[in-house]
């Protein structure tokens, strides 16, 4: 890339001052600055496009690896092994879990809540909410004394 250090930049500035002249130098610098800005924007867009392409390529590569790994796992553990046991109840209704579980493994599940709990206020009835205490009265302001003129 372009690499300017201080002495080289000073030589370029002196040559530009002599060739262009002090009257047109600000206009020329503005023109050069606009072109440099445009070049930077184009380079930034180009770099962003390349970054996007690289990310998409990496994503496609990762998806391919995930698909291969998924296929390997599915070969080692076929889906039939993961299906639940057939239902014993009549008409496809599940059998009683306690009866079908002779070891009693279902006992440690804990109680099942079938109805919502009743709050104390609901049981007693409509209890009015306690009234907010009245705010304390503000102390009266003392009138200011007018300055004697």
């Amino acid at each position: 890339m372009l690499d300017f250090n201080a002495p080289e930049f000073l030589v370029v500035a002196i040559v530009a001052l002599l060739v262009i002249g002090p009257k047109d130098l600000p206009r020329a610098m503005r023109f050069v600055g606009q072109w440099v800005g445009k070049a930077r924007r184009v380079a930034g867009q180009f770099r962003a496009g390349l970054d996007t392409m690289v990310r998409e390529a990496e994503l496609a590569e990762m998806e391919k690896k995930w698909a291969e790994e998924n296929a390997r796992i599915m070969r080692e553990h076929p889906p039939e092994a993961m299906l639940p046991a057939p239902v014993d109840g009549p008409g496809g209704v599940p059998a009683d879990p306690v009866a079908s579980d002779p070891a009693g493994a279902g006992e440690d599940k804990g109680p099942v809540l079938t109805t919502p709990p009743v709050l104390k206020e609901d049981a007693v009835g409509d209890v009015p909410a306690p009234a907010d205490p009245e705010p304390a009265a503000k102390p009266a302001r003392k009138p200011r004394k007018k300055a004697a003129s």
Side-chain angles (χ1 to χ4, degrees):
M1 233 166 135
L2 296 175
D3 185 26
F4 287 113
N5 55 21
E8 290 174 352
F9 187 71
L10 185 62
V11 169
V12 170
I14 291 173
V15 169
L17 182 63
L18 293 175
V19 172
I20 297 173
K23 183 179 175 184
D24 294 330
L25 188 60
R27 192 177 325 147
M29 294 296 288
R30 189 176 312 116
F31 180 76
V32 169
Q34 289 173 351
W35 275 99
V36 169
K38 287 179 183 179
R40 284 184 178 179
R41 282 191 296 274
V42 168
Q45 290 174 353
F46 181 72
R47 190 176 314 133
L50 285 178
D51 289 345
T52 302
M53 289 186 342
V54 167
R55 272 195 301 265
E56 288 175 358
E58 289 175 354
L59 183 61
E61 182 179 331
M62 289 177 69
E63 286 177 351
K64 182 179 175 184
K65 286 181 182 179
W66 289 339
E68 290 172 359
E69 185 66 18
N70 189 26
R72 183 189 64 81
I73 291 172
M74 294 305 285
R75 279 192 308 271
E76 291 177 6
H77 308 284
E80 294 83 31
M82 292 190 283
L83 290 176
V87 179
D88 295 344
V93 177
D96 183 19
V98 176
S100 64
D101 190 12
E107 292 179 8
D108 62 351
K109 291 182 182 177
V112 176
L113 184 64
T114 57
T115 59
V118 178
L119 300 176
K120 289 184 179 181
E121 290 81 19
D122 292 340
V124 175
D126 291 329
V127 178
D132 292 334
E134 292 184 24
K138 293 183 180 179
R141 287 181 35 185
K142 294 181 182 179
R144 292 186 181 179
K145 294 181 180 179
K146 292 185 178 180
S149 316

